[in-house]
Amino acid sequence: WKRVPSPSTGELRTKLTSVSATSARNAWAVGGTRILGANRTFILHWDGTAWTRVRSPNPGPGGYLEGVAAISARNAWASGLTMHHGVCSPKCKTIIEHWDGTSWRLVPSPQPPSSYLNDLFSLAPVSPRDIWAVGTTDYERTLIAHWDGTAWTK
C-alpha cells in the first residue's frame, strides 16, 4: 500500500466513504465536504494517473454521498442522503446520482415514510438494468431499493 495524492477542498471536513473501479484507468471515489458550513457532495475520478475532482449535483439543503458503484466508464451510480449543516433538518432524504459518461445528474430516488431519516449506504450492480441499493429508514428499518433500467423502486 502507498498513499496517493488526492485533490483537496481546502476544508478540514472532507472525507471519502466509498470507491469503485472498472479498470486500472477508471475509478470513482465519493463522500462529502463542508464548505462554509454547508454539506456538499464530493466525487473524485481516477484516470490511471491522478485523482481529479468532478462536479456533482448537490441537492438542497446539502448532500453527502456514502456509496458508489461503477459499471463501466460511461455508467456509475452514487448514493447517500441530504443534510443541512451536518444534521437532518428537518428530514434527511435519499440521494441517487448517475454518471452517464459526461456528467453526474440527480435521479429520483425512493423516499419511504419516515420521521427523521432516509439514507442509502451502498450500491451493487448486477448489470446496467439491475442495481441494488441498501440503507435505512430512521435507523429502525432496512431500506432496499432496486433499479430496473427505468426507475428506482423500494
Side-chain angles (χ1 to χ4, degrees), residues 9-55:
T9 62
E11 295 288 317
L12 297 175
R13 294 186 177 162
T14 300
K15 70 178 179 179
L16 297 170
T17 54
S18 184
V19 64
S20 182
T22 61
S23 72
R25 292 187 175 161
N26 182 56
W28 293 98
V30 302
T33 188
R34 295 214 25 213
I35 298 175
L36 301 173
N39 287 80
R40 301 276 185 248
T41 58
F42 188 74
I43 299 179
L44 299 178
H45 181 255
W46 175 257
D47 64 5
T49 305
W51 287 100
T52 306
R53 186 166 183 190
V54 178
R55 293 189 85 166

Side-chain angles (χ1 to χ4, degrees), residues 56-108:
S56 61
N58 192 63
Y64 191 85
L65 298 171
E66 296 179 300
V68 64
I71 299 170
S72 70
R74 302 184 140 269
N75 193 350
W77 295 85
S79 65
L81 73 161
T82 60
M83 284 184 154
H84 182 65
H85 297 287
V87 297
C88 292
S89 176
K91 180 169 127 174
C92 287
K93 297 180 180 180
T94 62
I95 299 173
I96 296 179
E97 297 188 5
H98 179 245
W99 171 257
D100 63 8
T102 304
S103 63
W104 285 93
R105 66 179 174 83
L106 283 171
V107 176

